[in-house]
Amino acid sequence: FEKAAKQMSEPGQAWLMTGYAAWNSNDLSKARQAFTKALKYPKQKDKAGKSLRRVERIMVNVDKL
């Protein structure tokens, strides 16, 4: 998804999917970066924002362990 996002003129959906894939692979840092990029696109803004907040909460809780 990330490779596709870099080649598209409107990559919002690809960045969103990159975030989900990274999250699913437990790469929270990459997920956070991808969701942040997806926030720039109006169609993905709501889902990216919600997902970004969830990932950031997980990251904070992991740091506390």
Side-chain angles (χ1 to χ4, degrees):
F1 292 111
E2 183 176 5
K3 186 176 180 180
K6 291 178 180 180
Q7 297 174 353
M8 300 171 76
S9 61
E10 288 292 325
Q13 185 65 29
W15 283 123
L16 189 64
M17 296 308 295
T18 299
Y20 291 142
W23 187 359
N24 200 40
S25 298
N26 292 316
D27 189 344
L28 299 178
S29 179
K30 189 171 190 172
R32 186 170 146 208
Q33 290 173 347
F35 290 139
T36 299
K37 290 178 182 182
L39 276 173
K40 298 176 185 174
Y41 300 91
K43 289 183 179 180
Q44 287 75 35
K45 189 172 183 171
D46 289 340
K47 288 182 181 180
K50 288 176 185 175
S51 297
L52 179 60
R53 286 189 294 276
R54 290 179 67 191
V55 165
E56 287 179 337
R57 279 196 302 263
I58 293 167
M59 291 174 84
V60 168
N61 289 331
V62 167
D63 288 342
K64 290 179 181 178
L65 295 177

